[in-house]
Amino acid sequence: MSRYIIQLPEGWLQVKAPLPFSLKWVNSYVIPEHKGYTIVDPGLRTDETIAVWREVMEERGILWADISRIVLTHQHPDHYGLSGYMQERSGAPVYMSSRAHAYARRLWGEDSDYPGALETLFLQHGMPDALVGDITRNLSEFVSRVSPQPVVQYIEAGDELRLGDRLWQLIDAPGHAFGGLCFYQRELRWMICGDQVLPHITPNVSVVPGEERDPLGCFLQSLEELKAWEVSLALPGHRDPFTGFRERLEQLQGHHDRRLAAMEELLRNSAMNAFELCESSFGSHLRRNPHNLRFAMAETLAHLFHLEGKGKAVATFQDGVYRYLAGRDICSIN
Ligand SMILES: [Zn+2]
């Protein structure tokens, strides 16, 4: 059997669609239907991913025309990128939430304002010009990895969707990606969780210009709400399906609590801008990796804005850059 395929119960396949970043692969799920297959999150559009799909389909005797539906958990390029290519060949409808689709169009639409807005955000938070330039260049490389863009039909949180002849409940999962969805199946107690809950790695939570000011607050709230679901098997967007869903939710909450406390501690000693805080938290080696640096900087901002919202950090704006101090220090000065 292809090394990219793992056989799951219910006749499902987990396909490890390769990624050219440290995440290594994204999980696509192939779900047998009465007629054809539903594909969840086909992957990034690269030659390597397409070659893997050809190998998987050949081995399983799946033709392009057998793909009857493409369902996306969220709009990030490693999940969404190949959907248009797959749709062109199969004619299958592509489903995602309207908010996720609006974000995808904003990022990769013809008159995208996103790179400029991200540039302004990062410059105002202390990132040197040259590194911001590296990041926008890296971002522009993604356009070909999400092309062609799919024609989309909408599914929304609160809806039910039939997958593999069972009804799944669609759950709003904000914070990692606004408009992201988790899918829950009551009899199996399975949760398709996209990147909202991952084993071994912590989902990135980024400030995105034009989205919520406090994505981390939304993410932590979502983790709390996900505890209400009884889950026997979680099917994540990266790494492998896992059990212990509730424990994982608690671990992720604990991770962010510790990171917030560590950042607050750093800001107690001296005022820092977000870029300085990013390098203190994640290391300066990321300067050589614009892709990871973008995630680290946007995640640092998510923690900072969350602290600020809680009154634990206070910003001053000077010479075009925001600097932060722990809120308590400001109170004691006053
Ligand atoms: Zn994602």
Side-chain angles (χ1 to χ4, degrees), residues 7-307:
Q7 179 75 55
L8 299 177
E10 297 279 308
W12 287 32
L13 302 179
Q14 172 193 356
V15 174
K16 296 180 172 187
L19 293 174
F21 345 111
S22 27
L23 275 174
K24 293 194 174 59
W25 81 84
V26 62
N27 288 323
S28 301
Y29 296 102
V30 178
I31 306 171
E33 304 287 357
H34 278 307
K35 196 169 177 316
Y37 297 88
T38 295
I39 309 287
V40 176
D41 291 349
L44 189 68
R45 192 214 164 139
T46 63
D47 291 346
E48 200 188 354
T49 310
I50 291 167
V52 165
W53 274 110
R54 288 190 187 284
E55 178 181 319
V56 166
M57 289 166 69
E58 193 171 321
E59 183 177 307
R60 291 288 159 154
I62 300 172
L63 305 172
W64 287 116
D66 294 330
I67 296 174
S68 52
R69 250 181 342 176
I70 299 159
V71 175
L72 303 174
T73 58
H74 65 295
Q75 65 275 28
H76 287 160
D78 49 337
H79 300 254
Y80 162 93
L82 193 68
S83 58
Y85 176 92
M86 215 175 238
Q87 181 177 54
E88 264 187 2
R89 273 142 195 85
S90 62
V94 172
Y95 293 94
M96 73 194 298
S97 82
S98 53
R99 186 164 179 185
H101 187 222
Y103 178 86
R105 276 183 310 190
R106 210 182 126 225
L107 244 64
W108 303 299
E110 302 229 320
D111 37 323
S112 171
D113 63 344
Y114 181 75
L118 192 72
E119 231 173 77
T120 306
L121 178 74
F122 283 4
L123 288 171
Q124 284 184 340
H125 287 277
M127 186 177 277
D129 269 349
L131 294 177
V132 174
D134 291 346
I135 285 176
T136 36
R137 260 189 304 282
N138 174 262
L139 259 183
S140 66
E141 289 167 13
F142 274 87
V143 175
S144 64
R145 295 166 171 179
V146 295
S147 298
Q149 307 234 12
V151 176
V152 167
Q153 296 183 31
Y154 296 138
I155 47 174
E156 306 292 356
D159 291 352
E160 286 188 322
L161 183 69
R162 193 166 279 280
L163 291 174
D165 211 22
R166 291 179 189 269
L167 273 182
W168 293 70
Q169 289 170 258
L170 275 52
I171 303 164
D172 185 31
H176 171 76
F178 287 96
L181 296 169
C182 290
F183 301 71
Y184 182 73
Q185 211 297 316
R186 193 179 297 280
E187 293 91 46
L188 294 171
R189 292 187 287 143
W190 283 14
M191 180 79 84
I192 299 171
C193 42
D195 290 353
Q196 191 72 353
V197 188
L198 298 173
H200 311 300
I201 41 179
T202 52
N204 172 258
V205 179
S206 279
V207 167
V208 174
E211 291 281 1
E212 310 285 335
R213 169 84 181 171
D214 180 14
L216 183 58
C218 301
F219 182 71
L220 293 173
Q221 173 71 28
S222 162
L223 295 183
E224 196 54 40
E225 288 170 10
L226 286 173
K227 288 180 183 170
W229 303 88
E230 280 292 326
V231 174
S232 64
L233 185 68
L235 300 143
H238 303 279
R239 305 296 173 102
D240 289 310
F242 63 101
T243 56
F245 185 70
R246 193 189 166 91
E247 292 72 26
R248 188 62 192 143
L249 293 172
E250 284 166 2
Q251 286 168 6
L252 292 173
Q253 287 175 319
H255 163 85
H256 288 293
D257 288 346
R258 286 190 299 280
R259 176 144 280 169
L260 286 165
M263 283 196 183
E264 198 184 345
E265 189 58 39
L266 283 168
L267 296 177
R268 209 167 274 143
N269 300 325
S270 62
M272 293 171 92
N273 64 45
F275 181 69
E276 290 164 343
L277 202 52
C278 173
E279 294 216 314
S280 298
S281 307
F282 295 98
S284 56
H285 64 283
L286 291 182
R287 287 180 178 226
R288 294 188 296 277
N289 184 333
H291 179 76
N292 287 354
L293 180 61
R294 171 163 58 91
F295 284 118
M297 181 70 177
E299 174 129 3
T300 303
L301 285 169
H303 285 84
L304 255 183
F305 289 0
H306 189 69
L307 287 173

